[in-house]
Amino acid sequence: MKTIKRMMDHLYWADGRILDALEASETKNKDLLKLVRHVAVAEQVWLSRLQGESSSQYSLWEEAEELTPIRMMFEENAEQYRLYIERLEESGLEQMIDYANQSGVPFRTSVRDILMQVLLHGQYHRGQINRLLRMESAEPVQVDYITFARL
């Protein structure tokens, strides 16, 4: 549990750093904004499943025009994940969650594996976002776990 909590703290930190880098770049690149919005919405999707709710209302790949509403999504995600993790006991990590993906296909996955998906999915896309920032001649931001751990 300690490791997952620490990794979630890294996720909140890394999400914030990416948002700050995007803000500093003043990008209007729709693909870049769409990708960062995707990360925020995916976090919401998985949280709703962890909470036993449907995720069918979420659209993972919508266009985004502005960074401010995306930042608000990330802030709300962090708050809700913190509350969820605070109540989660070690034994709860093995609980199986039944849910349907965005196409309606049913799945059953452990809480541990869902949280690992959230953690790894975000890191994957933050790398893509940094690459796109560099392609726009903007400054990418360090989001590696070791950078967070050294703070």
Side-chain angles (χ1 to χ4, degrees):
M1 197 63 208
K2 182 179 176 183
T3 299
I4 287 181
K5 285 181 180 179
R6 181 80 169 143
M7 290 178 71
M8 290 301 292
D9 286 340
H10 168 260
L11 176 134
Y12 313 138
W13 172 84
D15 283 347
R17 288 188 49 99
I18 281 291
L19 289 166
D20 291 345
L22 287 166
E23 199 169 80
S25 78
E26 298 181 353
T27 187
K28 297 297 180 200
N29 180 319
K30 290 185 186 242
D31 290 334
L32 195 46
L33 292 172
K34 184 177 184 178
L35 186 56
V36 73
R37 182 193 174 280
H38 168 77
V39 175
V41 174
E43 288 179 8
Q44 290 177 327
V45 164
W46 286 110
L47 183 63
S48 68
R49 293 171 181 166
L50 287 167
Q51 294 171 331
E53 300 169 4
S54 171
S55 64
S56 62
Q57 72 274 25
Y58 297 109
S59 177
L60 287 166
W61 290 107
E62 282 184 14
E63 298 273 328
E65 300 286 330
E66 297 292 325
L67 196 56
T68 301
I70 298 169
R71 182 180 288 277
M72 290 172 55
M73 275 193 270
F74 276 113
E75 289 170 359
E76 178 67 17
N77 291 349
E79 182 180 327
Q80 292 303 311
Y81 271 102
R82 281 188 178 103
L83 290 171
Y84 179 82
I85 298 287
E86 277 178 27
R87 294 187 298 256
L88 186 63
E89 295 183 19
E90 184 78 30
S91 60
L93 291 171
E94 303 314 317
Q95 177 188 351
M96 297 303 288
I97 304 291
D98 293 306
Y99 62 94
N101 70 6
Q102 297 313 98
S103 299
V105 178
F107 288 96
R108 190 165 211 248
T109 307
S110 71
V111 169
R112 179 186 310 276
D113 286 340
I114 288 173
L115 290 173
M116 293 304 293
Q117 167 63 21
V118 171
L119 292 161
L120 296 172
H121 177 261
Q123 192 66 358
Y124 170 76
H125 285 306
R126 284 188 291 274
Q128 291 178 317
I129 292 164
N130 264 333
R131 182 173 180 272
L132 289 169
L133 280 170
R134 180 165 293 167
M135 289 172 62
E136 288 197 351
S137 300
E139 191 64 32
V141 63
Q142 181 59 257
V143 291
D144 283 347
Y145 177 81
I146 196 66
T147 303
F148 167 77
R150 290 175 180 153
L151 297 176

